[in-house]
């Protein structure tokens, strides 16, 4: 029999979309029906209250509601921001800036809670401006001096006041010309350690219209660099009456001048990388007893009868003309020297080297010679390179070489002809002496035709002799009889010091019969 009570409905189950606060929910536990109020039910589930968004509705929510699924978004790192889990299991957000190890920091201590940004404060002659979110730093005053000993010259009044036609520049001071300046007929007097400078000789010209030398100084060390000079009617310099000074004229241009000028009794004079844009009547005239002269680079155009560099009778411890170009009118000379190395002090050498090119019909060298013992010339137009060289010859000789003892070397007898000599002295007695200042490794070649003056066949030898002593390692031998003859050649080499000399010795190895060297050539080259 069916139990009718089991089939009865509890209620009609009318639909509701909300739970009223007095609602009772039914539940079964242990086979028994129970009811529980709504408030107690929610408390048991732990879902009291609601989850809603808070803050700016335009922000990015952490809870992503997607239908029945609620996603909690992960916090990701962004530019300059990093996220991490703290030791207390909390989320930590912090900046991710780093400071370079150089310069002054713009941001303060990066480890504090609130790092500070430092302010920029404009210093003297500096201003800040902001346009379109850009900060511009500008200089409002004049350009700062190169050093605390620099005078900025923008106009004539920035120079010392003229007195008696002279503007005396201060000692230990650089005059930095920022604008072209015309000083009229006022001359410059340089003091000790005066420097004249500018940004570049292509844009700054100092003009002088007088007729006396533009720059003078007495026994002062000074320097002119990176300017263009213009003095149509005068020499650039006059340093006569000075002693033991150093003057440098470097990396400059000369629009026009009458001449470079006179220099005497200097400790060092350097004229380097100076370009002369127009003809000059005379060049640099060197006087007195001097230390070091150096010049190179640049170019010169010298008029007829002019001399680019005139050493005259001046003397030097060192003299060097290096790479450069010159155009010489007919009758002009590039370099004038005293003969026979008279310009160089004892034991000193001068050098004219490295592509000294000359255009025009003038003369490259007068007075001196590449054969002079204390000069070296190399790679110059119209001047042979210096090469120590000596050449002697002897033909149809009838003078016998007397042999006093068999096996003993003897100087060849006869009269020699000096064919060539450069930095060497040759004699009619068969001696070649090295006159050069620098030690030189030079080859020696000696060739002779030799025979005994009587009797049968004997063994003979030839040796190179250095400073009067035969060199055993150079010995070459041959045999001949009277009426015949043998040709013997000796190749050798020697490290020549100044004054070393070489000769030819011969030996009768067997007897005391005299020998005849009928012909010979003796060469050092």
């Amino acid at each position: 029999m069916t139990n009718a009570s089991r089939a009865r409905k509890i209620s009609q189950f009318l639909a509701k979309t909300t739970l009223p606060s007095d609602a009772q929910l039914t539940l079964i536990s242990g086979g028994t029906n129970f009811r529980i109020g709504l408030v107690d039910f929610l408390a048991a589930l732990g879902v009291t209250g609601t989850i809603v968004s808070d803050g700016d509705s335009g922000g990015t929510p952490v809870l992503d509601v997607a239908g029945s699924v609620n996603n909690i978004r992960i916090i990701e790192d962004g530019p300059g921001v990093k996220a991490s889990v703290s030791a207390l299991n909390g989320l930590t957000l912090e900046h991710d800036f780093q400071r370079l190890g150089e310069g002054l920091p713009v941001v303060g201590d990066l480890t504090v809670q609130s790092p500070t940004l430092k302010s920029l404060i404009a210093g003297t002659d500096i201003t800040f401006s902001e346009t379109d979110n850009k900060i511009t730093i500008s200089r409002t005053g004049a350009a700062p001096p190169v050093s605390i000993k620099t005078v900025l010259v923008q106009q004539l009044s920035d120079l010392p006041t003229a007195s008696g036609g002279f503007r005396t520049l201060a000692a230990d001071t650089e005059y930095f010309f920022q604008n072209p300046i015309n000083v009229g007929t006022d001359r410059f007097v340089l003091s000790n350690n005066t420097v004249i400078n500018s940004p570049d000789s292509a844009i700054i010209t100092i003009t002088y219209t007088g007729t006396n030398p533009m720059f003078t100084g007495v026994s002062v060390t000074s320097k002119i660099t990176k300017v263009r000079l213009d003095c149509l009617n005068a020499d650039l310099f006059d340093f006569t009456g000075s002693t033991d000074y150093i003057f440098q004229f470097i990396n400059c241009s000369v629009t026009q001048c009458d001449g470079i000028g006179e220099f005497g009794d200097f400790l060092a004079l350097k004229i380097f990388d100076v370009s002369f844009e127009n003809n000059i009547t005379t060049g640099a005239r060197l006087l007195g007893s001097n230390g070091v002269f150096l010049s190179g680079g640049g170019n010169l155009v010298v008029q007829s009868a002019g001399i680019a560099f005139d050493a005259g009778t001046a003397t030097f411890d060192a003299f060097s003309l290096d790479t450069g170009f010159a155009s010489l009118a007919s009758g002009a000379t590039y370099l004038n020297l005293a003969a026979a190395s008279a310009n160089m002090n004892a034991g000193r050498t001068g050098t004219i080297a490295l592509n000294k090119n000359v255009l025009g019909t003038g003369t490259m060298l007068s007075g001196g010679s590449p054969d002079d013992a204390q000069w070296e010339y190399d790679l110059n137009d119209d001047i042979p390179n210096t090469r120590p060289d000596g050449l002697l010859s002897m033909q149809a000789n009838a003078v016998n070489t007397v042999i006093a003892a068999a096996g003993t070397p003897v100087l060849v007898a006869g009269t020699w002809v000096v064919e060539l000599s450069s930095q060497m002295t040759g004699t009619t007695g068969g001696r070649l002496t090295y006159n050069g200042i620098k030690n030189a490794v030079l080859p020696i070649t000696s060739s002779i035709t030799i025979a005994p003056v009587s009797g049968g066949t004997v063994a003979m030898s030839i040796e190179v002799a250095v400073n009067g002593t035969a060199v055993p390692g150079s010995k070459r031998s041959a045999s001949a009889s009277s009426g015949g003859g043998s040709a013997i050649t000796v190749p050798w080499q020697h490290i020549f010091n100044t004054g070393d000399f070489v000769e030819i010795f011969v030996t009768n190895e067997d007897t005391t019969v005299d020998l005849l060297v009928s012909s010979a050539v003796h060469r050092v080259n």
Side-chain angles (χ1 to χ4, degrees), residues 321-342:
L321 277 176
D322 208 336
T323 306
F325 298 87
S327 179
L328 305 176
S330 178
T333 301
Y334 184 77
L335 174 64
N336 178 53
L337 297 174
S341 303

Side-chain angles (χ1 to χ4, degrees), residues 425-443:
T425 299
T427 69
T428 58
R431 175 178 293 185
L432 289 171
T433 302
Y434 176 62
N435 302 320
I437 299 300
K438 296 181 179 180
N439 293 352
V441 180
L442 301 174

Side-chain angles (χ1 to χ4, degrees), residues 53-128:
S53 296
D54 194 11
D56 186 356
S57 60
T60 302
V62 175
L63 182 65
D64 179 19
V65 179
S68 61
V69 178
N70 295 322
N71 297 303
I72 299 177
R73 290 188 171 95
I74 294 174
I75 298 176
E76 298 179 350
D77 296 344
V81 178
K82 66 179 180 179
S84 62
V85 177
S86 70
L88 299 178
N89 205 32
L91 286 175
T92 300
L93 294 178
E94 56 186 334
H95 69 77
D96 195 21
F97 299 126
Q98 297 182 13
R99 178 182 294 128
L100 297 176
E102 300 179 356
L104 295 175
V106 177
V107 181
D109 188 352
L110 296 178
T111 64
V112 301
Q113 184 69 27
S114 299
T116 58
L117 292 176
K118 297 180 180 179
S119 299
L120 299 176
I121 299 176
T124 303
D125 295 331
I126 298 294
T127 60
F128 295 140

Side-chain angles (χ1 to χ4, degrees), residues 501-521:
F501 61 89
V502 291
E503 299 165 307
I504 300 176
F505 281 20
V506 293
T507 302
N508 186 330
E509 302 289 354
D510 296 332
T511 69
T512 58
V513 173
D514 294 343
L515 303 177
L516 175 65
V517 176
S518 57
S519 64
V521 174

